[in-house]
Amino acid sequence: MASITLQGNPVETVGNLPKTGNKAMDFSLAATDLSIKSLSDFSGSRLILNIFPSVDTGTCATSVREFNKKASSIENTKVLCISRDLPFAQGRFCGAEGIENVVMLSDFSTGSFGKDYGLEIKDGPLSGLHSRCIVIINEEGNVTYTEQVSEIVDEPNYEAALKAL
């Protein structure tokens, strides 16, 4: 379990992020058009998984905007923004913000992604949502970088994530 904080108050996740060098676990996540996407849908591309509690919060929205700006200029790389928000809310946010360079995916139906990747928040007011994390997966499907943001209201280290590509 990862010990993180929410505005200075301790909370824990259900596990730990995948280890670098390991194969990334498959997933089934809903896209904004309600189609189901899995890891194999992105085969051959490098992936930045930008994972967060809810796009309806300032820090989460900022992370989507930041990666949207950077994603258009990164070769052979897709940014997957993953939360437990409904796909409709994700789509509405992207439409209102002009977000076009990231793929929004929802873990709303089962929450299995959050459990499988060890990042679901176990206790506190955000229990059941995803903690703020970055996971990078290379073209071969191996995890090459992870960041568990220690304070949920803080932004991830964008530069470290992009450098890890």
Side-chain angles (χ1 to χ4, degrees):
M1 283 178 261
S3 294
I4 56 177
T5 57
L6 173 60
Q7 297 177 326
N9 298 305
V11 294
E12 291 187 340
T13 63
V14 297
N16 293 303
L17 293 177
K19 295 204 182 301
T20 58
N22 287 356
K23 276 284 187 203
M25 290 170 276
D26 198 9
F27 52 75
S28 292
L29 298 166
T32 56
D33 65 0
L34 300 181
S35 64
I36 301 300
K37 300 294 183 188
S38 67
L39 187 59
S40 64
D41 289 312
F42 305 99
S43 181
S45 294
R46 297 180 300 178
L47 301 176
I48 299 173
L49 308 186
N50 175 34
I51 307 156
F52 49 86
S54 174
V55 76
D56 286 327
T57 65
T59 305
C60 300
T62 297
S63 73
V64 174
R65 287 184 203 108
E66 284 297 312
F67 277 119
N68 183 63
K69 278 189 239 173
K70 297 174 186 322
S72 63
S73 63
I74 306 171
E75 192 174 320
N76 193 36
T77 302
K78 295 191 180 344
V79 178
L80 310 183
C81 294
I82 304 169
S83 69
R84 300 274 326 256
D85 292 299
L86 290 175
F88 312 111
Q90 292 176 334
R92 187 172 49 250
F93 171 81
C94 289
E97 295 278 336
I99 304 288
E100 298 178 343
N101 299 317
V102 300
V103 178
M104 299 296 285
L105 296 172
S106 175
D107 189 23
F108 82 100
S109 63
T110 65
S112 62
F113 173 83
K115 291 177 180 68
D116 292 346
Y117 274 67
L119 52 88
E120 181 178 301
I121 299 170
K122 186 170 120 175
D123 53 7
L126 298 182
S127 177
L129 297 180
H130 296 157
S131 59
R132 187 174 317 287
C133 307
I134 302 293
V135 175
I136 295 184
I137 302 170
N138 68 13
E139 299 93 326
E140 291 80 37
N142 296 316
V143 175
T144 60
Y145 173 87
T146 63
E147 177 190 3
Q148 171 70 69
V149 178
S150 59
E151 168 57 58
I152 296 172
V153 300
D154 291 344
E155 292 179 55
N157 186 336
Y158 304 109
E159 295 311 313
L162 294 172
K163 188 175 178 182
L165 286 172

